[in-house]
Coordinates of all heavy atoms in Angstrom, one line a residue:
L321 N 19.6 40.4 19.8 CA 19.0 40.8 18.5 C 20.0 40.5 17.4 O 19.8 39.9 16.3 CB 18.5 42.2 18.5 CG 17.5 42.5 17.6 CD1 16.2 41.6 17.7 CD2 17.0 43.9 17.8
L350 N -8.4 21.1 14.3 CA -9.5 20.3 14.2 C -10.6 21.2 13.7 O -11.4 20.9 12.8 CB -10.0 19.7 15.6 CG -9.2 18.4 16.0 CD1 -9.4 18.2 17.4 CD2 -9.5 17.2 15.2
I424 N 1.6 16.6 16.1 CA 1.7 17.9 16.9 C 3.2 18.0 17.1 O 3.9 17.1 17.4 CB 1.0 17.8 18.2 CG1 -0.5 17.6 17.9 CG2 1.2 19.1 19.0 CD1 -1.3 17.3 19.3
D470 N 22.8 11.1 13.9 CA 24.1 10.9 14.0 C 24.4 10.9 15.6 O 24.7 12.2 16.2 CB 25.1 11.8 13.3 CG 26.6 11.6 13.6 OD1 26.9 10.6 14.3 OD2 27.4 12.3 13.1
R544 N 20.9 34.3 12.0 CA 22.2 34.3 11.2 C 22.4 32.9 10.6 O 23.0 32.9 9.5 CB 23.3 34.7 12.1 CG 23.4 36.1 12.5 CD 24.7 36.4 13.2 NE 24.7 35.6 14.4 CZ 25.8 35.0 14.9 NH1 26.9 35.2 14.3 NH2 25.7 34.3 16.1

Side-chain angles (χ1 to χ4, degrees):
L321 205 50
L350 285 165
I424 303 171
D470 177 6
R544 285 186 301 140

